[in-house]
Amino acid sequence: MSVLAGADLRLNAGPIDYALLVVYFAVVLGIGALARRSVSTSLDFLLSGRSLPAWVTGLAFISANLGALEIFGMTANGAQYGLPTMHYYWIGAIPAMVFLGLVMMPFYYGSKVRSVPEFLRRRFGKGAHLVNAISFAVAAVLIAGVNLYALASVVNVLLGWPIWVSIIVAGLVVLSYTTLGGLSAAIYNEVLQFFVIVAMLLPLTIVGLHKVGGWQGLVDKITANNSNATEQLSSWPGSNLTGITNPTMSVIGIVFGLGFVLSFGYWTTNFAEVQRALSAKNMSAARRTPIIGAYPKTLIPLIIIIPGMIAAVLVPEMGKAKAALLADPNAATDVKFNNALELLIRDLLPNGMLGIAITGLLAAFMAGMAANISSLNTVFTYDLWQDYVVKDRPDEYYLRVGRWVTVVGTVIAMGTAFIAGGYNNIMDYVQTLFSFFNAPLFATFILGMFWKRMTAAAGWSGLVFGTLAAVLVDILNRAGALHLQGQGASFVGASAAFVVDIVVSVAVSLATVPRPEAELTGLVWSLTPKSTRQHSTEGDGGGWYRKPLLLGIGVLVLTFVLNLVFG
Amino acid sequence: MAHQTRSARKAGLFDLRWIIAVLFGIYGVVLIVLGVGFRTDEDLAKAGGININLWSGVGMAALAAVFGLWAAWRPMVVPERVEEMPPADDAAGAGER
């Protein structure tokens, strides 16, 4: 392979790789075109989508999250921190997914709430709804920027265009993909994308491990190259990840900050995630959706994080950058941890598999950004514009507004992509955003669901002060007052947001008048009849292997065993 | 589940399992051809001696076969009418209303 200075990030894609990429997009756009051709086939499409078995909705459930954040961020994390990154899955996702299926889903599904903003409007009225809609719109634009940056960096390594040109071009491509009707096939594409991503990562992991001399070879090389190798090779206590030197405090930070607040906040209240489960055909399937999704979620970090760790020892530039950054976190390096996956693909995969890998990356980022932009579109048009700004216009008017929001949102995302590009590790940025937006939402949600005394004023004020608390932690940390490196700042920020939200909500509730109980039926646990929370155990809901509790315990045991193996 | 409805017909191409089978069938065949007929020593050295195109191709072809057989064995049927239309998925397709 010819190595040219300045162009050494280029992937050596050949005609066959582009052909494989074209096949994928032909299939995806073909689904959309077929679905559009006539109303009846479109109906078929939607209905057959809805009669899919629970394993498909389960895969769609984790696929909705398997975008840029996951693939780039977690390989970057693996390269930088090593095995403690596993906590994002085993502590940071599995318990929350099981909790969603076992405890919250009966209640969500039984109360017929369709989305998070809708729950807030019914439970607390307009104040909390407005606050949540605004913060959701802001978060959607910022996270769309992360996806766009990741997409642009693939275009950058693929074609060698400067990053700003790549961002603009990638944004325009997503815009046309969104308007071409790719989204009508959302769930199908998500499941398809899941398999393509596995088809990319599994061979990459196998080849990487083979080349590095197996697991033992990887351990030896990390030990030889890094002064903090023991921290990187054991998932606990994860001091290098949290930036908290005291092991006990580090474990508390991981379990409470990541495992409880950030994770439960994300998995149980995130618009896109929860809706996947809510659209299941019955209560039994709805409860099983997140739990079935938890099984692949337990195993997939093995083919995401381990390649990141391999990249840091196998790719010379990455190893050099890691050594420099370990000595001085502000060192200027040629490559960033965010580049770990691309570099590994460049060094290991021959033409053919390279095409599959490029397809997987592009598919994930496009779908991720398209989902962000379209949820922004919905929330802005219907929850903000129609409810608060211009009311009572004909449907076509709002359709037009929606189209413009898509365009404007994409343009703003091009701007926020540069914010994401400024971070050496994209996951630091994403976790900071989650601490602002998800942690307070979870606090308000869980309190409002289980405490009937909580009032409307408490609903919005808790959200506002919770978010402010997390922002304050971030500002203090940037100013150097807190000395938290890595992702510890976002764990602390999320915990602060959670605690402040609860304290403010309780204080405001006690000072204001609660809503009459009759209005809260179906919205608060104690006021919801038990019968609406249970599901039939006959037919499709029957069989021991369909029991949510058994499936949930199974995945928790699996997670525990993996923790022992990689402890 | 779809099997129990009386007025129902097959979903055909819209069955996700067929779409997976077709996509990975194509990918599998292309990669096997590349692995058998066009492998170079440079590619082999890159992957540390594994013919990764060939083996990935075999894996993908096997995946395609499993999904194809499953879809043929238990075809999905679409109910003619659905009592209550579940809410539109707000996270997707908003621009299409």
Side-chain angles (χ1 to χ4, degrees):
Chain A
M1 197 175 80
S2 65
V3 179
L4 299 167
D8 48 12
L9 266 174
R10 290 281 295 274
L11 297 174
N12 235 336
I16 191 71
D17 302 311
Y18 289 109
L20 291 170
L21 181 65
V22 168
V23 167
Y24 180 80
F25 283 99
V27 169
V28 166
L29 293 178
I31 295 172
L34 271 177
R36 280 196 155 200
R37 186 173 289 164
S38 70
V39 179
S40 78
T41 47
S42 156
L43 198 65
D44 278 358
F45 178 76
L46 289 171
L47 293 181
S48 59
R50 219 168 276 126
S51 56
L52 288 171
W55 68 266
V56 172
T57 48
L59 284 184
F61 187 88
I62 63 159
S63 241
N65 159 270
L66 197 67
L69 315 184
E70 196 82 359
I71 296 176
F72 261 39
M74 289 305 170
T75 41
N77 255 346
Q80 184 171 5
Y81 303 117
L83 282 179
T85 311
M86 296 286 185
H87 293 312
Y88 281 103
Y89 296 80
W90 297 339
I91 299 293
I94 305 304
M97 290 168 84
V98 172
F99 182 81
L100 175 65
L102 292 184
V103 181
M104 287 176 81
M105 194 48 71
F107 177 72
Y108 258 132
Y109 202 86
S111 66
K112 296 197 166 56
V113 174
R114 289 177 311 192
S115 72
V116 174
E118 189 189 331
F119 178 88
L120 288 172
R121 185 167 53 197
R122 284 174 57 191
R123 175 66 182 81
F124 298 115
K126 288 205 158 180
H129 177 244
L130 182 63
V131 170
N132 178 242
I134 291 174
S135 83
F136 183 86
V138 172
V141 170
L142 291 173
I143 294 181
V146 176
N147 279 297
L148 187 54
Y149 168 71
L151 183 60
S153 78
V154 177
V155 176
N156 172 260
V157 294
L158 197 59
L159 302 170
W161 297 348
I163 199 83
W164 67 271
V165 177
S166 306
I167 285 177
I168 292 171
V169 172
L172 293 177
V173 170
V174 173
L175 195 60
S176 48
Y177 168 91
T178 314
T179 41
L180 266 175
L183 282 171
S184 59
I187 291 194
Y188 272 34
N189 284 344
E190 277 168 10
V191 177
L192 208 54
Q193 174 201 323
F194 173 83
F195 285 104
V196 177
I197 289 169
V198 172
M200 156 180 83
L201 290 172
L202 189 60
L204 189 66
T205 311
I206 292 171
V207 171
L209 273 179
H210 173 74
K211 215 175 170 185
V212 84
W215 179 251
Q216 195 52 47
L218 180 62
V219 168
D220 292 345
K221 288 207 170 63
I222 287 181
T223 311
N225 293 356
N226 297 282
S227 56
N228 66 345
T230 32
E231 286 179 357
Q232 292 185 30
L233 290 170
S234 160
S235 61
W236 296 101
S239 291
N240 61 341
L241 182 72
T242 57
I244 304 169
T245 5
N246 181 320
T248 317
M249 293 305 290
S250 178
V251 169
I252 291 175
I254 289 174
V255 171
F256 185 74
L258 173 64
F260 183 60
V261 178
L262 274 173
S263 143
F264 279 64
Y266 179 79
W267 292 101
T268 63
T269 64
N270 186 289
F271 196 56
E273 297 298 338
V274 173
Q275 261 183 346
R276 291 287 170 278
L278 288 181
S279 60
K281 60 187 172 186
N282 58 37
M283 174 75 90
S284 164
R287 294 186 71 188
R288 274 182 286 136
T289 294
I291 300 175
I292 288 175
Y295 281 87
K297 187 78 184 167
T298 314
L299 299 173
I300 211 161
L302 297 176
I303 57 171
I304 294 181
I305 295 168
I306 292 177
M309 297 166 68
I310 294 171
V313 296
L314 218 53
V315 180
E317 298 101 303
M318 195 77 242
K320 234 170 72 186
K322 185 174 177 176
L325 286 167
L326 200 61
D328 170 17
N330 298 318
T333 51
D334 293 339
V335 295
K336 297 177 176 181
F337 287 118
N338 290 337
N339 304 122
L341 188 60
E342 294 138 49
L343 289 167
L344 196 65
I345 288 172
R346 178 201 67 179
D347 283 3
L348 297 187
L349 296 183
N351 293 104
M353 264 316 293
L354 181 62
I356 305 283
I358 293 167
T359 305
L361 288 176
L362 291 180
F365 301 151
M366 282 211 173
M369 182 175 167
N372 293 140
I373 293 292
S374 70
S375 58
L376 167 77
N377 179 341
T378 312
V379 169
F380 188 89
T381 309
Y382 297 100
D383 288 300
L384 288 173
W385 200 258
Q386 188 170 23
D387 280 2
Y388 299 101
V389 185
V390 182
K391 298 175 192 176
D392 304 323
R393 290 285 189 89
D395 230 26
E396 299 89 72
Y397 172 78
Y398 294 108
L399 191 63
R400 260 204 321 279
V401 171
R403 292 228 169 92
W404 277 108
V405 172
T406 308
V407 175
V408 173
T410 307
V411 172
I412 299 175
M414 290 176 185
T416 58
F418 288 98
I419 305 179
Y423 281 76
N424 197 313
N425 181 332
I426 224 168
M427 215 59 205
D428 290 349
Y429 175 55
V430 168
Q431 292 299 332
T432 308
L433 292 181
F434 283 170
S435 77
F436 293 175
F437 300 114
N438 284 359
L441 186 58
F442 172 58
T444 297
F445 215 85
I446 205 89
L447 202 62
M449 249 187 183
F450 292 99
W451 192 39
K452 61 185 180 187
R453 179 76 180 72
M454 189 170 175
T455 65
W460 66 263
S461 57
L463 286 176
V464 169
F465 283 98
T467 301
L468 289 178
V471 173
L472 184 69
V473 168
D474 187 54
I475 291 174
L476 284 178
N477 192 50
R478 276 165 200 272
L482 287 178
H483 307 294
L484 289 166
Q485 279 175 18
Q487 277 140 39
S490 56
F491 300 168
V492 173
S495 309
F498 183 85
V499 172
V500 168
D501 185 309
I502 296 278
V503 169
V504 169
S505 298
V506 170
V508 172
S509 289
L510 295 176
T512 46
V513 185
R515 297 178 67 187
E517 287 194 5
E519 288 178 17
L520 298 177
T521 308
L523 298 169
V524 178
W525 184 275
S526 61
L527 300 175
T528 305
K530 205 172 177 199
S531 58
T532 62
R533 288 190 260 120
Q534 282 174 335
H535 68 86
S536 132
T537 49
E538 312 273 304
D540 277 349
W544 62 268
Y545 57 91
R546 289 206 181 99
K547 280 197 165 62
L549 185 63
L550 194 72
L551 289 167
I553 291 172
V555 75
L556 289 177
V557 169
L558 178 63
T559 309
F560 185 73
V561 170
L562 284 167
N563 257 301
L564 289 184
V565 173
F566 290 95
Chain B
M1 185 88 233
H3 309 281
Q4 65 209 11
T5 39
R6 237 167 281 133
S7 56
R9 61 212 152 83
K10 289 178 187 174
L13 260 182
F14 285 113
D15 188 335
L16 178 60
R17 292 170 298 182
W18 278 123
I19 300 175
I20 293 175
V22 168
L23 181 71
F24 282 97
I26 297 173
Y27 278 3
V29 169
V30 170
L31 288 178
I32 290 172
V33 169
L34 281 176
V36 173
F38 294 90
R39 67 151 191 255
T40 61
D41 291 341
E42 188 189 288
D43 286 348
L44 280 179
K46 228 177 171 186
I50 300 181
N51 190 345
I52 193 64
N53 276 345
L54 175 63
W55 292 112
S56 304
V58 169
M60 288 179 204
L63 182 77
V66 168
F67 274 98
L69 287 174
W70 183 14
W73 178 48
R74 292 198 143 174
M76 176 189 294
V77 275
V78 182
E80 222 33 88
R81 290 197 70 81
V82 165
E83 288 294 308
E84 184 190 356
M85 283 293 283
D89 185 356
D90 286 346
E96 320 215 277
R97 284 183 217 189

